[in-house]
């Protein structure tokens, strides 16, 4: 995949990497806006060998307990195969020499097995000492967690037990959330030891809202939005893809594409690539019909199901009328202040991937232009 633009975001992240680590950075944005593509582009193409990157993507794992978290973090892969590591020398070799990007934290096999019995802090302690070794070797470590929200419900000392306490992540009966322990560790890596750059990526805006409003990260975390492209950039992206795919797009074509899918990179790419073989208007109408059908089905289901949402300490039932009332606000506006929609209703619409919340601005918008167009057609 050839990467397009994002100059401002790239410069900002490179600027952060040039400074001493001090904050945890949360990279957030709507679904498929290009967060992973951006961070991968930077670590693969924009960094010198002075950096050592540990990139961990939780998306590929189903994490419901500590054991799975440890597996996700400490499993290193080479050419897509799981790698077995013999001893400490091999680990040292990997982290001080070897490739710039590791997709996991290397650990000798025997020590890996021990981690399952030990406390989670021992795993963090191991990671800490490994990062110190990286720094000692003259390299700057970077830790990246992609789709971090995947661990939000994991409870530490009561294995196999899951709670739907999110977004409040309440403590009770001596339970400890893995996420809280991880945050403490990440604060120590950044604010306290200035040892390692930390980036956490997520498209779950309720998760980002939780992180943003939780006291323990106050003054210790910063937020970078990777949004869908604005109109001018989206049109340029279409030109870029047209060249890549060796096709011709007129200004009218580009305007038409934008009117259906807006600035969502994934959708634009799909449309341009498909237009090599199919009629442009047909592709776009098909995509919109699909979005309309999904929204229609979702609304129909509300006649039968009685969805409930956890808000603070209360469980609230969501009513179809309130959902429709909320969605109708988007008929004339792409963005609406979250103040205009009751918290349980917008929470539910975000969970169902219909709305996206920018918690820093307090703004709600449809997850995509397609969803927006579907709202306008249906309601
Ligand atoms: N700057 C870009 N240049 C070229 N293609 C891009 C760019 N940004 C995104 N894309 C395309 O859009 C697709 C979706 O991007 P990506 O998976 O990075 O989104 P994301 O925001 O990480 O998604 P998720 O919401 O699932 O976390 C990519 O696979 C790529 O094809």
């Amino acid at each position: 995949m050839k990467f397009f633009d994002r100059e401002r975001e790239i410069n900002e992240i490179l600027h952060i990497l040039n400074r001493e680590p001090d904050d945890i950075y949360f990279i957030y944005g709507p679904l498929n806006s290009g967060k992973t593509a951006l961070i991968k582009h930077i670590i693969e193409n924009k960094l010198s060998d002075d950096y050592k990157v540990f990139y961990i993507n939780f998306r590929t794992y189903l994490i419901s307990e500590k054991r799975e978290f440890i597996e996700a973090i400490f499993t290193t892969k080479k050419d897509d195969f799981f790698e077995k590591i013999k001893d400490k020398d091999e680990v040292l070799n990997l982290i001080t020499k070897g490739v710039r990007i590791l997709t996991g934290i290397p650990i000798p096999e025997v020590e890996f097995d021990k981690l399952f019995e030990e406390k989670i802090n021992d795993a963090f302690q191991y990671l800490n000492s490994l990062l110190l070794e990286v720094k000692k070797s003259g390299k700057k470590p970077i830790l990246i967690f992609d789709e971090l929200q995947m661990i939000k419900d994991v409870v530490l000392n009561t294995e196999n037990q899951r709670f739907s306490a999110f977004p409040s992540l309440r403590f009770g009966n001596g339970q400890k959330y893995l996420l809280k322990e991880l945050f403490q560790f990440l604060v120590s890596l950044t604010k306290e030891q200035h040892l390692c750059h930390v980036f956490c990526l997520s498209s779950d805006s309720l998760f980002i809202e939780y992180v943003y409003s939780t006291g323990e990260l106050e003054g210790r975390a910063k937020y970078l939005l990777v949004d869908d492209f604005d109109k001018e950039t989206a049109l340029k992206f279409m030109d870029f893809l047209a060249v890549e795919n060796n096709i011709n797009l007129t200004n009218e074509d580009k305007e038409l594409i934008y009117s259906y899918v807006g600035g969502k990179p994934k959708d634009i790419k799909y449309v341009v690539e498909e237009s090599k073989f199919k009629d442009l208007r047909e592709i776009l109408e098909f995509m919109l019909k699909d979005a309309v059908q999904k929204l229609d089905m979702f609304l129909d289901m509300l006649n039968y199901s009685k969805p409930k949402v956890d808000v603070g300490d209360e469980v609230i039932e969501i009513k179809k009328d309130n959902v429709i009332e909320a969605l109708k606000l988007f008929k004339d506006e792409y963005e609406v202040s979250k103040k205009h929609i009751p918290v349980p209703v917008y929470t539910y619409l975000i969970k169902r991937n219909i709305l996206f919340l920018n918690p820093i601005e307090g703004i709600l918008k449809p997850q995509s232009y397609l969803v927006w167009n579907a709202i306008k057609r249906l309601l």
Side-chain angles (χ1 to χ4, degrees):
M1 181 196 86
K2 276 216 173 158
F3 191 79
F4 170 76
D5 192 54
R6 294 289 190 200
E7 288 306 318
R8 192 179 50 78
E9 290 87 347
I10 292 171
N11 286 337
E12 190 167 356
I13 291 174
L14 291 180
H15 181 64
I16 292 164
L17 290 173
N18 262 326
R19 296 192 306 241
E20 189 179 58
D22 200 19
D23 288 293
I24 305 167
Y25 281 88
F26 285 88
I27 299 183
Y28 72 106
L31 283 177
N32 294 317
S33 64
K35 298 173 283 297
T36 302
L38 169 69
I39 206 78
K40 281 203 159 175
H41 174 69
I42 292 176
I43 61 178
E44 283 166 10
N45 304 296
K46 297 285 175 183
L47 297 183
S48 69
D49 284 336
D50 293 347
Y51 291 92
K52 194 78 180 179
V53 182
F54 300 92
Y55 172 80
I56 292 140
N57 193 346
F58 291 120
R59 187 200 297 265
T60 41
Y61 296 87
L62 201 77
I63 301 174
S64 63
E65 55 176 74
K66 182 186 118 186
R67 183 180 186 91
E68 288 150 353
F69 172 74
I70 288 183
E71 274 169 358
I73 294 236
F74 293 96
T75 307
T76 49
K77 281 194 208 159
K78 199 176 182 183
D79 304 326
D80 263 353
F81 289 104
F82 294 112
E83 201 176 16
K84 286 194 171 164
I85 295 168
K86 277 196 315 289
D87 52 26
K88 223 176 158 209
D89 282 350
E90 205 180 325
V91 171
L92 274 178
N93 220 14
L94 274 170
I95 61 168
T96 56
K97 297 171 197 147
V99 290
R100 181 168 3 112
I101 305 165
L102 291 173
T103 53
I105 310 296
I107 184 165
E109 233 183 329
V110 271
E111 291 199 41
F112 178 68
D113 292 335
K114 274 197 273 170
L115 285 183
F116 296 117
E117 278 97 60
E118 292 170 358
K119 283 199 249 119
I120 195 70
N121 277 341
D122 294 318
F124 292 151
Q125 208 46 55
Y126 173 85
L127 177 51
N128 201 103
S129 55
L130 188 129
L131 294 168
L132 282 167
E133 288 289 347
V134 175
K135 195 172 177 187
K136 218 167 82 187
S137 76
K139 289 191 192 278
K140 300 175 196 169
I142 304 174
L143 192 54
I144 300 169
F145 293 121
D146 206 340
E147 304 291 346
L148 183 63
Q149 77 280 353
M150 298 290 284
I151 68 159
K152 69 193 178 203
D153 289 329
V154 182
V155 179
L156 276 182
N157 48 356
T158 35
E159 304 264 306
N160 300 324
Q161 218 179 332
R162 301 202 55 186
F163 295 84
S164 58
F166 186 77
S168 50
L169 289 185
R170 283 164 281 169
F171 282 104
N173 308 328
Q175 298 140 8
K176 271 192 173 172
Y177 281 96
L178 173 62
L179 194 63
K180 295 234 175 198
E181 300 284 302
L182 178 65
F183 282 162
Q184 269 179 18
F185 173 61
L186 297 182
V187 168
S188 142
L189 288 183
T190 50
K191 193 113 251 154
E192 288 163 14
Q193 300 179 71
H194 308 287
L195 170 58
C196 176
H197 292 283
V198 176
F199 294 92
C200 303
L201 280 60
S202 180
S203 45
D204 180 338
S205 46
L206 290 175
F207 175 71
I208 296 293
E209 186 190 38
Y210 160 72
V211 171
Y212 184 64
S213 58
T214 186
E216 71 211 62
L217 288 184
E218 183 81 48
R220 294 155 169 183
K222 291 213 162 65
Y223 301 85
L224 303 174
L225 172 66
V226 176
D227 210 343
D228 295 337
F229 292 135
D230 61 22
K231 185 169 180 188
E232 192 188 340
T233 316
L235 298 183
K236 284 190 191 148
F237 185 43
M238 291 174 211
D239 286 332
F240 170 87
L241 292 169
V243 173
E244 282 287 297
N245 288 280
N246 208 7
I247 54 167
N248 224 347
L249 288 175
T250 64
N251 285 342
E252 259 175 32
D253 291 337
K254 289 189 280 175
E255 288 287 338
L256 185 70
I257 298 175
Y258 187 79
S259 71
Y260 275 75
V261 303
K264 175 119 13 235
K266 187 166 185 229
D267 291 344
I268 297 175
K269 188 163 179 274
Y270 174 78
V271 173
V272 174
E273 284 173 359
E274 286 288 289
S275 72
K276 265 176 125 168
F277 317 99
K278 293 183 196 152
D279 176 67
L280 187 57
R281 206 171 267 279
E282 255 175 48
I283 303 165
L284 293 167
E285 262 309 304
F286 185 82
M287 289 171 86
L288 180 53
K289 265 191 204 142
D290 184 55
V292 170
Q293 275 309 318
K294 282 187 181 138
L295 185 61
D296 198 28
M297 255 156 41
F298 161 75
L299 292 173
D300 272 352
M301 284 309 289
L302 290 176
N303 292 327
Y304 308 100
S305 64
K306 300 267 175 272
K308 294 186 180 66
V309 169
D310 260 6
V311 184
D313 286 335
E314 276 192 71
V315 179
I316 311 270
E317 190 178 306
I318 305 298
K319 302 223 165 50
K320 184 177 178 181
D321 287 352
N322 296 346
V323 167
I324 291 186
E325 202 182 318
L327 290 179
K328 276 192 174 163
L329 294 175
F330 294 89
K331 275 179 74 86
D332 300 318
E333 304 283 345
Y334 186 51
E335 296 186 336
V336 168
S337 162
K338 70 174 190 174
K339 296 248 178 297
H340 297 312
I341 301 179
V343 177
V345 178
Y346 81 63
T347 302
Y348 180 61
L349 287 167
I350 294 168
K351 275 183 193 244
R352 297 302 305 262
N353 276 336
I354 292 167
L355 295 184
F356 164 75
L357 167 70
N358 180 338
I360 286 85
E361 308 271 346
I363 296 279
L364 290 158
K365 62 179 180 180
Q367 274 286 3
S368 69
Y369 246 55
L370 277 172
V371 171
W372 191 36
N373 282 321
I375 293 171
K376 288 194 278 187
R377 271 212 188 169
L378 260 184
L379 300 173

